Amino acid sequence: MNKRILVIEDQEDNRCILRDLLTSAGFELIEAVTGEEGVAKAQTDRPDLILMDIQLPGLDGYEATRRIKAIPVLRTIPVIAVTSFALSGDDVKAYEAGCEAYVTKPFRPRELLAKVREYLSSGAR
């Protein structure tokens, strides 16, 4: 069975890049455009991994991650922050919110794919 990845990203071009990269690697994709939608889809679809943009309209990625991690059945799903926030301390804020990893945009597709595979194969669930 294919691993399912929830991509929470408000920019269509970024979703398109991630969609092409992840589907070509054999992953099933679930997409959300807002933090609220992402939290809802995490609950209904129970993905194997979440790629979380931080700059989202309304509920930002930090808060969306906190809400997902506050739900017991979702707590073990790895969340990787994928963000253009690259200021000093932003990675710390992402880890404090509950993200397991932090990737800055623009990312190298091969590196992101390696990180996704690392978290999916670690059997942390």
Side-chain angles (χ1 to χ4, degrees), residues 71-90:
I71 300 166
V73 296
L74 305 180
R75 191 171 291 140
T76 59
I77 298 173
V79 177
I80 300 176
V82 182
T83 180
S84 52
F85 276 10
L87 299 173
S88 173
D90 284 331

Side-chain angles (χ1 to χ4, degrees), residues 40-111:
K41 286 196 173 181
Q43 289 179 279
T44 56
D45 296 331
R46 302 273 177 87
D48 296 292
L49 182 130
I50 298 170
L51 293 177
M52 177 74 73
D53 184 23
I54 297 300
Q55 286 178 283
L56 293 167
L59 193 66
D60 71 17
Y62 298 127
E63 184 57 30
T65 300
R66 279 191 283 273
R67 290 189 188 181
I68 288 166
K69 293 295 186 173
I71 300 166
V73 296
L74 305 180
R75 191 171 291 140
T76 59
I77 298 173
V79 177
I80 300 176
V82 182
T83 180
S84 52
F85 276 10
L87 299 173
S88 173
D90 284 331
D91 55 341
V92 174
K93 279 164 62 178
Y95 293 125
E96 285 173 351
C99 294
E100 277 75 15
Y102 182 85
V103 175
T104 55
K105 293 176 194 169
F107 54 81
R108 290 186 185 88
R110 196 175 291 143
E111 285 178 21

Side-chain angles (χ1 to χ4, degrees), residues 1-3 21-28 117:
M1 192 169 108
N2 287 355
K3 296 285 190 179
L21 175 69
L22 297 167
T23 55
S24 67
F27 296 109
E28 187 183 323
R117 287 189 172 126

